[in-house]
Amino acid sequence: MAFSRRDFLKGGLFTASGLATANLISLIDYRRAHAQDQPIKAAMSSAGLQGTWNAQGQEAALWWADLLGVEVTWFDGEFDVAAQRAKIDQMATQEWDFVAMQPGGIDTLREPVQAMIDAGTPVIDMDTLIVPMSDLWEMGIVTFIAPDNVFMSESVVSKLVEKMGYAGKISHIGGAPGHTGAQARGQGFLNITGQHPDVEVVDDQPADWDGTRAAALAEAVLNRHPDLKAIFADNDDMALAAQQAVANAGLADQVLVGGVDAMSDAIAAVEDGRLVGTARNSATRIHGWAVIAGVYAATVGVDQAREDIPKFILADGPAIFGDIDSNPDLADTPWKLSNYGLSSAEGLIWAENKLLF
């Protein structure tokens, strides 16, 4: 069944109560009926496709784009703010039905993004603030889709500190300093470590999301502090690299490691004990929802989209640990146990690999 633009707008994709399944189906049906006569061209950019989180986000975005009949041109930020700025400057010289991006650093893309917005292009901000929050809505961003970075960081660091016995040395490997998500994860780290006077932060340096740099930082801090008890890294790529450095030093039984993003490899590492924990920053939701929001804006118009779509959409996700609740007193009623007394790893990996988690 084909939907007229007026009927589609009347139905409304986004409401105050959130995304309604029936209305998403209406959007899909509408695009199937009109993909040929109403083609949509979109531009998307992420901080750097060499990161597994970003690559997974691109995969999800392209899946939704294919479903909704959107031609996407991708501008890879290369984990280099100058390189991304040059590409977004290029993006701004072309016409798009919508744009969605994850900036590599805050306030690095303001001018070309503002130029696109002023030209009437709907812009969706993914994961990281394009500009300071006080300016985001004034410049005309349609919506900001992001995780709770402080929650994710605090969850994993809390588990690390607990397993340290609330005492000992810990180090932090940060992401890119200009990335608002990295700044928030760093704040979460300080929020938890600052609560425990016997926990000593002996190193806190950025590795710019790069696993090789993270491994080098881990090796250096282990050389300076052979009694180190834990390392927290701002993403799983760095956490897994740091854990390998720990294992290479023969300290896997001493030094606990945790990360953020809950990528499939990291969930598997939590299950087998190489990582203490990770927390899900859902690349699939953030990028997929950005495409949905962009298609809606391209369909009904940017002004209507700004009225209908919430300014902030939280892409939530759980913290994931290897602990299994095996309380013998509840063995006969496993539904009273956390996660039914089962590991969540296999199911979460399955859902993530299907771009659902």
Side-chain angles (χ1 to χ4, degrees):
M1 174 181 178
F3 287 76
S4 71
R5 183 180 181 280
R6 178 176 178 180
D7 288 342
F8 177 74
L9 179 57
K10 193 163 128 185
L13 175 63
F14 287 90
T15 66
S17 60
L19 182 62
T21 302
N23 289 333
L24 177 57
I25 292 172
S26 297
L27 176 65
I28 294 170
D29 286 344
Y30 183 87
R31 285 302 303 159
R32 283 176 175 171
H34 295 280
Q36 296 301 316
D37 62 285
Q38 296 178 12
I40 291 178
K41 291 180 59 179
M44 298 188 72
S45 178
S46 57
L49 288 177
Q50 60 265 54
T52 59
W53 186 90
N54 308 77
Q56 185 184 73
Q58 183 193 48
E59 183 183 5
L62 295 179
W63 188 92
W64 276 102
D66 183 64
L67 180 68
L68 294 169
V70 181
E71 178 186 342
V72 174
T73 301
W74 207 276
F75 294 76
D76 180 13
E78 303 177 47
F79 284 139
D80 181 322
V81 294
Q84 188 181 37
R85 172 57 189 260
K87 292 183 179 184
I88 302 306
D89 283 338
Q90 176 190 356
M91 182 192 293
T93 67
Q94 302 171 61
E95 292 186 6
W96 309 100
D97 294 302
F98 75 87
V99 166
M101 68 181 67
Q102 179 215 22
I106 190 170
D107 224 5
T108 59
L109 306 174
R110 180 190 291 264
E111 291 80 10
V113 169
Q114 188 66 69
M116 287 187 280
I117 292 172
D118 290 347
T121 305
V123 176
I124 289 86
D125 190 354
M126 302 188 300
D127 181 67
T128 310
L129 284 167
I130 293 173
V131 295
M133 187 73 76
S134 57
D135 297 339
L136 196 67
W137 319 128
E138 286 188 12
M139 75 184 299
I141 294 294
V142 171
T143 187
F144 175 44
I145 307 173
D148 185 340
N149 289 285
V150 175
F151 161 79
M152 294 187 296
S153 174
E154 288 182 343
S155 298
V156 176
V157 177
S158 292
K159 182 63 73 172
L160 287 170
V161 168
E162 174 191 330
K163 289 187 175 293
M164 289 169 59
Y166 304 100
K169 296 179 178 180
I170 187 172
S171 70
H172 173 221
I173 299 174
H179 184 284
T180 56
Q183 293 175 19
R185 292 174 201 185
Q187 185 62 52
F189 173 82
L190 295 175
N191 289 350
I192 299 303
T193 56
Q195 295 174 13
H196 304 285
D198 294 329
V199 171
E200 180 185 1
V201 178
V202 295
D203 198 53
D204 190 345
Q205 297 187 62
D208 298 324
W209 312 118
D210 184 270
T212 301
R213 294 182 194 176
L217 286 177
E219 291 170 3
V221 74
L222 288 170
N223 287 333
R224 295 195 308 272
H225 302 278
D227 56 344
L228 188 75
K229 282 193 173 182
I231 297 172
F232 171 68
D234 277 2
N235 77 354
D236 288 335
D237 290 350
M238 297 191 298
L240 289 168
Q243 195 281 327
Q244 187 60 57
V246 168
N248 292 344
L251 296 172
D253 292 335
Q254 171 189 307
V255 182
L256 308 164
V257 182
V260 168
D261 284 341
M263 302 304 295
S264 295
D265 287 348
I267 296 173
V270 170
E271 186 177 37
D272 67 24
R274 285 176 292 133
L275 294 183
V276 166
T278 184
R280 182 57 174 160
N281 178 17
S282 182
T284 57
R285 291 183 180 185
I286 290 171
H287 289 75
W289 293 356
V291 172
I292 295 169
V295 168
Y296 182 79
T299 303
V300 304
V302 65
D303 291 336
Q304 186 67 48
R306 288 195 189 107
E307 290 185 21
D308 295 343
I309 302 176
K311 286 183 170 59
F312 170 62
I313 302 174
L314 175 67
D316 61 333
I320 301 162
F321 308 115
D323 303 344
I324 301 297
D325 187 355
S326 56
N327 183 349
D329 294 336
L330 299 176
D332 293 333
T333 54
W335 53 89
K336 295 181 181 179
L337 297 170
S338 177
N339 282 333
Y340 298 89
L342 302 172
S343 169
S344 64
E346 183 178 2
L348 293 177
I349 290 171
W350 177 86
E352 186 170 332
N353 290 341
K354 300 299 183 185
L355 303 179
L356 300 172
F357 170 62

mmCIF file of all heavy atoms in Angstrom, residues 84-109:
data_model
loop_
_atom_site.group_PDB
_atom_site.id
_atom_site.type_symbol
_atom_site.label_atom_id
_atom_site.label_comp_id
_atom_site.label_asym_id
_atom_site.label_seq_id
_atom_site.Cartn_x
_atom_site.Cartn_y
_atom_site.Cartn_z
ATOM 1 N N GLN A 84 39.005 14.913 8.795
ATOM 2 C CA GLN A 84 37.552 14.922 8.781
ATOM 3 C C GLN A 84 37.024 16.305 8.409
ATOM 4 O O GLN A 84 36.067 16.421 7.633
ATOM 5 C CB GLN A 84 36.982 14.477 10.123
ATOM 6 C CG GLN A 84 35.469 14.300 10.074
ATOM 7 C CD GLN A 84 34.866 13.886 11.402
ATOM 8 O OE1 GLN A 84 35.301 14.329 12.468
ATOM 9 N NE2 GLN A 84 33.849 13.023 11.355
ATOM 10 N N ARG A 85 37.638 17.345 8.935
ATOM 11 C CA ARG A 85 37.186 18.705 8.607
ATOM 12 C C ARG A 85 37.270 18.956 7.101
ATOM 13 O O ARG A 85 36.337 19.518 6.498
ATOM 14 C CB ARG A 85 38.016 19.733 9.368
ATOM 15 C CG ARG A 85 37.747 21.196 8.959
ATOM 16 C CD ARG A 85 36.267 21.576 9.128
ATOM 17 N NE ARG A 85 35.995 22.874 8.557
ATOM 18 C CZ ARG A 85 35.901 24.004 9.260
ATOM 19 N NH1 ARG A 85 36.057 23.975 10.570
ATOM 20 N NH2 ARG A 85 35.640 25.141 8.668
ATOM 21 N N ALA A 86 38.351 18.512 6.469
ATOM 22 C CA ALA A 86 38.489 18.710 5.027
ATOM 23 C C ALA A 86 37.378 17.983 4.275
ATOM 24 O O ALA A 86 36.833 18.502 3.286
ATOM 25 C CB ALA A 86 39.862 18.219 4.566
ATOM 26 N N LYS A 87 37.018 16.791 4.751
ATOM 27 C CA LYS A 87 35.961 16.026 4.079
ATOM 28 C C LYS A 87 34.582 16.635 4.309
ATOM 29 O O LYS A 87 33.730 16.623 3.414
ATOM 30 C CB LYS A 87 36.007 14.571 4.549
ATOM 31 C CG LYS A 87 37.256 13.848 4.079
ATOM 32 C CD LYS A 87 37.266 12.386 4.483
ATOM 33 C CE LYS A 87 38.522 11.703 3.977
ATOM 34 N NZ LYS A 87 38.530 10.254 4.278
ATOM 35 N N ILE A 88 34.349 17.179 5.521
ATOM 36 C CA ILE A 88 33.050 17.809 5.778
ATOM 37 C C ILE A 88 32.954 19.126 5.021
ATOM 38 O O ILE A 88 31.861 19.516 4.565
ATOM 39 C CB ILE A 88 32.825 18.000 7.297
ATOM 40 C CG1 ILE A 88 32.914 16.659 8.033
ATOM 41 C CG2 ILE A 88 31.460 18.637 7.550
ATOM 42 C CD1 ILE A 88 31.995 15.575 7.495
ATOM 43 N N ASP A 89 34.070 19.834 4.840
ATOM 44 C CA ASP A 89 34.071 21.015 3.969
ATOM 45 C C ASP A 89 33.643 20.631 2.556
ATOM 46 O O ASP A 89 32.857 21.341 1.908
ATOM 47 C CB ASP A 89 35.464 21.646 3.930
ATOM 48 C CG ASP A 89 35.789 22.449 5.182
ATOM 49 O OD1 ASP A 89 34.854 22.868 5.881
ATOM 50 O OD2 ASP A 89 36.993 22.653 5.457
ATOM 51 N N GLN A 90 34.153 19.495 2.086
ATOM 52 C CA GLN A 90 33.759 18.994 0.767
ATOM 53 C C GLN A 90 32.281 18.614 0.760
ATOM 54 O O GLN A 90 31.550 18.932 -0.187
ATOM 55 C CB GLN A 90 34.611 17.778 0.396
ATOM 56 C CG GLN A 90 34.227 17.122 -0.923
ATOM 57 C CD GLN A 90 34.919 15.784 -1.130
ATOM 58 O OE1 GLN A 90 35.752 15.366 -0.329
ATOM 59 N NE2 GLN A 90 34.546 15.098 -2.203
ATOM 60 N N MET A 91 31.834 17.934 1.811
ATOM 61 C CA MET A 91 30.432 17.542 1.930
ATOM 62 C C MET A 91 29.522 18.762 1.802
ATOM 63 O O MET A 91 28.475 18.707 1.157
ATOM 64 C CB MET A 91 30.202 16.843 3.277
ATOM 65 C CG MET A 91 28.792 16.351 3.518
ATOM 66 S SD MET A 91 28.525 15.868 5.258
ATOM 67 C CE MET A 91 29.585 14.436 5.419
ATOM 68 N N ALA A 92 29.929 19.861 2.419
ATOM 69 C CA ALA A 92 29.086 21.061 2.467
ATOM 70 C C ALA A 92 28.943 21.735 1.106
ATOM 71 O O ALA A 92 28.076 22.600 0.935
ATOM 72 C CB ALA A 92 29.648 22.052 3.479
ATOM 73 N N THR A 93 29.764 21.364 0.130
ATOM 74 C CA THR A 93 29.653 21.955 -1.215
ATOM 75 C C THR A 93 28.637 21.213 -2.085
ATOM 76 O O THR A 93 28.385 21.622 -3.214
ATOM 77 C CB THR A 93 31.015 21.939 -1.934
ATOM 78 O OG1 THR A 93 31.408 20.583 -2.215
ATOM 79 C CG2 THR A 93 32.077 22.630 -1.094
ATOM 80 N N GLN A 94 28.098 20.114 -1.560
ATOM 81 C CA GLN A 94 27.178 19.288 -2.332
ATOM 82 C C GLN A 94 25.782 19.319 -1.705
ATOM 83 O O GLN A 94 25.611 19.765 -0.566
ATOM 84 C CB GLN A 94 27.702 17.852 -2.386
ATOM 85 C CG GLN A 94 29.106 17.752 -2.994
ATOM 86 C CD GLN A 94 29.699 16.370 -2.850
ATOM 87 O OE1 GLN A 94 29.147 15.397 -3.362
ATOM 88 N NE2 GLN A 94 30.818 16.261 -2.146
ATOM 89 N N GLU A 95 24.795 18.833 -2.444
ATOM 90 C CA GLU A 95 23.417 18.823 -1.957
ATOM 91 C C GLU A 95 23.063 17.431 -1.438
ATOM 92 O O GLU A 95 23.349 16.420 -2.083
ATOM 93 C CB GLU A 95 22.449 19.223 -3.076
ATOM 94 C CG GLU A 95 22.581 20.673 -3.500
ATOM 95 C CD GLU A 95 21.510 21.080 -4.507
ATOM 96 O OE1 GLU A 95 20.612 20.244 -4.779
ATOM 97 O OE2 GLU A 95 21.573 22.215 -4.992
ATOM 98 N N TRP A 96 22.440 17.407 -0.263
ATOM 99 C CA TRP A 96 22.045 16.149 0.375
ATOM 100 C C TRP A 96 20.631 16.280 0.910
ATOM 101 O O TRP A 96 20.208 17.372 1.308
ATOM 102 C CB TRP A 96 22.997 15.809 1.528
ATOM 103 C CG TRP A 96 24.445 15.858 1.158
ATOM 104 C CD1 TRP A 96 25.327 16.870 1.403
ATOM 105 C CD2 TRP A 96 25.177 14.854 0.446
ATOM 106 N NE1 TRP A 96 26.568 16.561 0.902
ATOM 107 C CE2 TRP A 96 26.509 15.326 0.305
ATOM 108 C CE3 TRP A 96 24.842 13.604 -0.083
ATOM 109 C CZ2 TRP A 96 27.499 14.595 -0.339
ATOM 110 C CZ3 TRP A 96 25.831 12.863 -0.726
ATOM 111 C CH2 TRP A 96 27.139 13.359 -0.856
ATOM 112 N N ASP A 97 19.924 15.158 0.966
ATOM 113 C CA ASP A 97 18.592 15.159 1.564
ATOM 114 C C ASP A 97 18.666 15.090 3.082
ATOM 115 O O ASP A 97 17.769 15.558 3.770
ATOM 116 C CB ASP A 97 17.769 13.998 1.012
ATOM 117 C CG ASP A 97 17.484 14.170 -0.473
ATOM 118 O OD1 ASP A 97 16.883 15.195 -0.832
ATOM 119 O OD2 ASP A 97 17.882 13.294 -1.258
ATOM 120 N N PHE A 98 19.724 14.483 3.595
ATOM 121 C CA PHE A 98 20.044 14.597 5.021
ATOM 122 C C PHE A 98 21.494 14.232 5.235
ATOM 123 O O PHE A 98 22.137 13.588 4.389
ATOM 124 C CB PHE A 98 19.115 13.751 5.904
ATOM 125 C CG PHE A 98 19.374 12.260 5.896
ATOM 126 C CD1 PHE A 98 20.301 11.681 6.767
ATOM 127 C CD2 PHE A 98 18.657 11.416 5.062
ATOM 128 C CE1 PHE A 98 20.525 10.312 6.780
ATOM 129 C CE2 PHE A 98 18.863 10.047 5.060
ATOM 130 C CZ PHE A 98 19.800 9.490 5.922
ATOM 131 N N VAL A 99 22.014 14.656 6.378
ATOM 132 C CA VAL A 99 23.396 14.388 6.764
ATOM 133 C C VAL A 99 23.388 13.874 8.197
ATOM 134 O O VAL A 99 22.627 14.357 9.044
ATOM 135 C CB VAL A 99 24.254 15.674 6.666
ATOM 136 C CG1 VAL A 99 25.581 15.506 7.386
ATOM 137 C CG2 VAL A 99 24.480 16.051 5.209
ATOM 138 N N ALA A 100 24.223 12.877 8.479
ATOM 139 C CA ALA A 100 24.400 12.393 9.852
ATOM 140 C C ALA A 100 25.882 12.205 10.092
ATOM 141 O O ALA A 100 26.592 11.671 9.229
ATOM 142 C CB ALA A 100 23.649 11.076 10.069
ATOM 143 N N MET A 101 26.357 12.628 11.253
ATOM 144 C CA MET A 101 27.793 12.532 11.490
ATOM 145 C C MET A 101 28.139 12.362 12.956
ATOM 146 O O MET A 101 27.409 12.803 13.853
ATOM 147 C CB MET A 101 28.516 13.755 10.931
ATOM 148 C CG MET A 101 28.229 15.057 11.643
ATOM 149 S SD MET A 101 29.121 16.444 10.870
ATOM 150 C CE MET A 101 28.297 16.547 9.273
ATOM 151 N N GLN A 102 29.277 11.696 13.162
ATOM 152 C CA GLN A 102 29.924 11.604 14.463
ATOM 153 C C GLN A 102 31.250 12.359 14.336
ATOM 154 O O GLN A 102 32.186 11.876 13.702
ATOM 155 C CB GLN A 102 30.208 10.146 14.841
ATOM 156 C CG GLN A 102 30.915 10.003 16.185
ATOM 157 C CD GLN A 102 31.911 8.844 16.216
ATOM 158 O OE1 GLN A 102 32.397 8.388 15.188
ATOM 159 N NE2 GLN A 102 32.220 8.377 17.416
ATOM 160 N N PRO A 103 31.355 13.537 14.925
ATOM 161 C CA PRO A 103 32.605 14.294 14.799
ATOM 162 C C PRO A 103 33.726 13.666 15.616
ATOM 163 O O PRO A 103 33.495 13.042 16.651
ATOM 164 C CB PRO A 103 32.231 15.674 15.352
ATOM 165 C CG PRO A 103 31.112 15.400 16.301
ATOM 166 C CD PRO A 103 30.349 14.246 15.720
ATOM 167 N N GLY A 104 34.957 13.852 15.131
ATOM 168 C CA GLY A 104 36.101 13.356 15.873
ATOM 169 C C GLY A 104 36.427 14.211 17.083
ATOM 170 O O GLY A 104 37.108 13.753 18.014
ATOM 171 N N GLY A 105 35.959 15.452 17.087
ATOM 172 C CA GLY A 105 36.207 16.347 18.209
ATOM 173 C C GLY A 105 35.141 17.426 18.256
ATOM 174 O O GLY A 105 34.567 17.802 17.226
ATOM 175 N N ILE A 106 34.891 17.935 19.446
ATOM 176 C CA ILE A 106 33.868 18.965 19.600
ATOM 177 C C ILE A 106 34.328 20.277 18.975
ATOM 178 O O ILE A 106 35.498 20.662 19.065
ATOM 179 C CB ILE A 106 33.518 19.149 21.096
ATOM 180 C CG1 ILE A 106 32.285 20.041 21.249
ATOM 181 C CG2 ILE A 106 34.692 19.679 21.889
ATOM 182 C CD1 ILE A 106 31.733 20.090 22.660
ATOM 183 N N ASP A 107 33.407 20.946 18.285
ATOM 184 C CA ASP A 107 33.609 22.273 17.705
ATOM 185 C C ASP A 107 34.642 22.294 16.584
ATOM 186 O O ASP A 107 35.227 23.338 16.294
ATOM 187 C CB ASP A 107 33.987 23.292 18.779
ATOM 188 C CG ASP A 107 33.230 24.602 18.618
ATOM 189 O OD1 ASP A 107 32.355 24.679 17.732
ATOM 190 O OD2 ASP A 107 33.508 25.549 19.372
ATOM 191 N N THR A 108 34.890 21.144 15.953
ATOM 192 C CA THR A 108 35.834 21.096 14.839
ATOM 193 C C THR A 108 35.139 21.215 13.487
ATOM 194 O O THR A 108 35.806 21.428 12.476
ATOM 195 C CB THR A 108 36.637 19.783 14.870
ATOM 196 O OG1 THR A 108 35.741 18.670 14.781
ATOM 197 C CG2 THR A 108 37.457 19.688 16.151
ATOM 198 N N LEU A 109 33.816 21.080 13.461
ATOM 199 C CA LEU A 109 33.082 21.046 12.195
ATOM 200 C C LEU A 109 31.993 22.120 12.125
ATOM 201 O O LEU A 109 31.120 22.067 11.260
ATOM 202 C CB LEU A 109 32.440 19.665 11.999
ATOM 203 C CG LEU A 109 33.376 18.462 12.088
ATOM 204 C CD1 LEU A 109 32.581 17.165 12.019
ATOM 205 C CD2 LEU A 109 34.419 18.508 10.981
#
